[in-house]
Amino acid sequence: MGWLLVVLGIIGIFLPLMPSTIFFILAAWCFARSSEKFYNKLINHPRIGKFIRDYRDERGMPFRSKVIAITMLMVTIGSSALFFTEQLLVKLLLFIIAISVTIYILSLKTVSEKVPGKSE
């Protein structure tokens, strides 16, 4: 199950409407119960490990990540709703999804971005 979630997370990196971080978080949860080796590889990964650790330890996202996530969400869903569908119900559904995900992201705690070598 952990590997399936990792694959979905990797796909989510390249597909704008599919989240990636939540799949990596769920994969870490699975590996924590089944494989210490793969759990450690995932949470120590140079790119995605920080997001998993931030969520695991502090239940939040850095401000910059929130801005990027919401911007990408609005651009991709907004352009899909405005340019790629003519059905009013589909447009409405896309905007409801975008607003709901935005509210969830904004509800997460904003964690500070720790800069190596810089004391707070």
Side-chain angles (χ1 to χ4, degrees), residues 1-15 18-24 26:
M1 189 64 176
W3 284 112
L4 174 64
L5 292 165
V6 167
V7 169
L8 290 173
I10 292 169
I11 292 170
I13 292 171
F14 301 102
L15 292 178
M18 187 170 167
S20 59
T21 304
I22 190 65
F23 290 117
F24 291 126
L26 291 171

Side-chain angles (χ1 to χ4, degrees), residues 4-71:
L4 174 64
L5 292 165
V6 167
V7 169
L8 290 173
I10 292 169
I11 292 170
I13 292 171
F14 301 102
L15 292 178
L17 296 178
M18 187 170 167
S20 59
T21 304
I22 190 65
F23 290 117
F24 291 126
I25 290 169
L26 291 171
W29 181 82
C30 288
F31 287 141
R33 282 144 186 78
S34 64
S35 173
E36 186 177 342
K37 174 185 172 183
F38 292 128
Y39 173 76
N40 287 329
K41 279 188 174 211
L42 196 57
I43 65 166
N44 292 315
H45 188 275
R47 300 275 183 186
I48 59 176
K50 180 185 181 330
F51 297 107
I52 298 167
R53 289 189 307 274
D54 282 346
Y55 189 82
R56 180 195 65 193
D57 298 340
E58 302 181 46
R59 299 278 191 240
M61 290 176 71
F63 179 76
R64 183 172 184 268
S65 296
K66 284 184 176 187
V67 170
I68 291 170
I70 292 170
T71 301

Side-chain angles (χ1 to χ4, degrees), residues 57-106:
D57 298 340
E58 302 181 46
R59 299 278 191 240
M61 290 176 71
F63 179 76
R64 183 172 184 268
S65 296
K66 284 184 176 187
V67 170
I68 291 170
I70 292 170
T71 301
M72 291 302 295
L73 177 74
M74 293 302 168
V75 167
T76 56
I77 290 183
S79 64
S80 295
L82 294 174
F83 303 117
F84 299 110
T85 185
E86 294 183 15
Q87 297 179 345
L88 183 61
L89 186 59
V90 174
K91 288 181 182 200
L92 185 61
L93 182 62
L94 287 170
F95 283 122
I96 289 171
I97 291 169
I99 291 167
S100 299
V101 173
T102 299
I103 289 169
Y104 173 73
I105 291 170
L106 292 174

